[in-house]
């Protein structure tokens, strides 16, 4: 605002009868904030976990990362009720829910067990690559798309995350919303790659996931595929390849693989 606009507003607040109550209203109450410290702990060793990601979910959300000893700090946390999520690649994400935090609240420890788990609430740095001109993999809250043919509207891209996991985020291609052709995968590939799974100490590693795939619409024959593969650095094996065009696949479907059978 200009200085003259500022003067005009102050004049109205101080002199206009209908504005007088604004000076004493609660609309501009400054929230009470305080410094809060918590800890992320390895449930198997009882030691702090360094570089773990922490997400405090309340009316206002906060993110933090643990230090070398597993402690995290939020300098200006607002007094509220929170759920504190914590995780790291190589651990299973966990949550402590319904914590009423205020000045003087005791330190909270979130215990996480070793393992591999990702519901994409926390950003563990999966990477996207490929040459598609649209529809690249993106992490976010799914918007959803539809395709209408012969007065029948089908759901194409997911509009909701998998039921039962933490948060509302997933990886989805495009996520542009509206009709399926708005931001679908076109003229190339888009590849989503996880961080490395260190399975050297696992006797029977099982890989499980949910996926959603639709291949249809457009002016020509649908020619897209979803391919899921694993690699040990020298050998790559395809676990799943699907290009079938059917609405039955346009939902979250569970997949489960015993990796020793493949690689």
């Amino acid at each position: 605002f200009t200085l003259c606009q500022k003067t005009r507003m102050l004049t109205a607040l101080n002199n206009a009868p209908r504005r007088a109550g604004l000076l004493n209203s609660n609309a501009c109450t400054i929230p009470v904030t305080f410094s809060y410290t918590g800890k992320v702990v390895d449930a198997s060793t009882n030691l702090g976990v360094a570089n773990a990601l922490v997400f405090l979910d309340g009316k206002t959300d906060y993110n933090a990362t643990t230090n070398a000893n597993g402690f995290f700090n939020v300098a200006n946390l607002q007094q509220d009720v929170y759920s504190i999520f914590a995780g790291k690649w190589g651990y299973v994400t966990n949550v402590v829910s319904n914590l009423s935090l205020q000045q003087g609240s005791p330190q909270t420890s979130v215990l996480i067990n070793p393992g591999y788990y990702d519901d994409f609430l926390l950003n563990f740095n999966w990477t996207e690559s490929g040459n598609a001109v649209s529809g690249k993999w993106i992490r976010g809250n799914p918007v959803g798309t539809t395709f209408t043919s012969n007065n029948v509207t089908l759901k194409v891209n997911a509009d909701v995350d998998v039921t039962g996991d933490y948060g509302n985020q997933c990886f989805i291609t495009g996520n542009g919303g509206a009709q399926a052709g708005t931001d679908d995968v076109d003229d190339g590939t888009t590849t989503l790659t996880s961080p490395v799974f260190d399975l050297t100490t696992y006797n029977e590693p099982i890989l499980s996931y949910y996926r959603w795939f639709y291949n249809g619409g457009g002016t020509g024959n649908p020619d897209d595929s979803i391919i899921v593969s694993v690699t040990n650095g020298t050998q790559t094996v395809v676990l799943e390849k699907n290009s079938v065009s059917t609405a039955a696949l346009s939902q979250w479907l569970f997949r489960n693989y015993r990796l020793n059978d493949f690689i």
Side-chain angles (χ1 to χ4, degrees):
F1 295 104
T2 67
L3 289 176
C4 290
Q5 287 172 319
K6 172 185 172 183
T7 300
R8 176 71 185 88
M9 286 187 285
L10 288 173
T11 300
L13 284 171
N14 289 318
N15 297 283
R18 290 183 299 170
R19 303 288 186 266
L22 290 175
L23 293 176
N24 298 313
S25 80
N26 292 323
C28 296
T29 300
I30 299 174
V32 176
T33 62
F34 55 97
S35 178
Y36 180 75
T37 298
K39 190 175 185 180
V40 180
V41 178
D42 184 319
S44 63
T45 66
N46 207 35
L47 298 175
V49 179
N51 299 315
L53 302 183
V54 180
F55 174 64
L56 288 81
D57 183 19
K59 292 178 183 178
T60 301
D61 296 335
Y62 300 85
N63 293 281
T65 303
T66 59
N67 63 19
N69 296 314
F71 291 99
F72 66 90
N73 177 265
V74 179
N76 294 293
L77 187 69
Q78 292 186 23
Q79 181 175 304
D80 198 3
V81 176
Y82 294 91
S83 292
I84 303 180
F85 298 86
K88 182 181 180 180
W89 190 251
Y91 287 88
V92 179
T93 302
N94 196 16
V95 61
V96 177
S97 301
N98 299 318
L99 288 172
S100 181
L101 299 181
Q102 56 191 333
Q103 182 74 46
S105 291
Q107 173 184 296
T108 299
S109 292
V110 184
L111 275 65
I112 55 177
N113 283 288
Y116 288 96
Y117 172 83
D118 199 349
D119 50 27
F120 308 116
L121 172 68
L122 305 172
N123 185 5
F124 293 148
N125 295 318
W126 292 55
T127 57
E128 188 280 333
S129 60
N131 59 355
V133 298
S134 66
K136 292 179 178 294
W137 287 107
I138 184 173
R139 173 178 162 266
N141 294 343
V143 176
T145 60
T146 58
F147 174 69
T148 302
S149 177
N150 298 322
N151 296 319
V152 176
T153 299
L154 301 174
K155 187 184 294 186
V156 178
N157 280 48
D159 60 353
V160 64
D161 190 19
V162 174
T163 301
D165 72 356
Y166 295 138
N168 300 311
Q169 297 198 79
C170 61
F171 269 97
I172 192 165
T173 52
N175 210 25
Q179 284 288 307
T182 304
D183 200 10
D184 62 329
V185 182
D186 274 331
D187 300 326
T189 64
T190 179
T191 300
L192 181 65
T193 303
S194 78
V196 173
F197 294 83
D198 182 0
L199 304 180
T200 53
T201 61
Y202 288 69
N203 294 322
E204 285 288 342
I206 303 295
L207 175 65
S208 58
Y209 56 88
Y210 285 88
R211 61 102 168 128
W212 180 304
F213 173 69
Y214 180 87
N215 183 32
T219 57
N221 292 324
D223 59 357
D224 289 340
S225 298
I226 183 171
I227 301 170
V228 180
S229 61
V230 292
T231 180
N232 58 17
T234 57
Q235 179 189 10
T236 300
V237 176
V238 173
L239 301 179
E240 176 183 11
K241 180 175 182 179
N242 202 315
S243 58
V244 176
S245 179
T246 171
L249 296 177
S250 191
Q251 58 182 307
W252 289 115
L253 298 176
F254 181 72
R255 294 291 181 262
N256 195 57
Y257 295 96
R258 179 179 179 269
L259 291 181
N260 287 342
D261 293 338
F262 294 88
I263 198 167

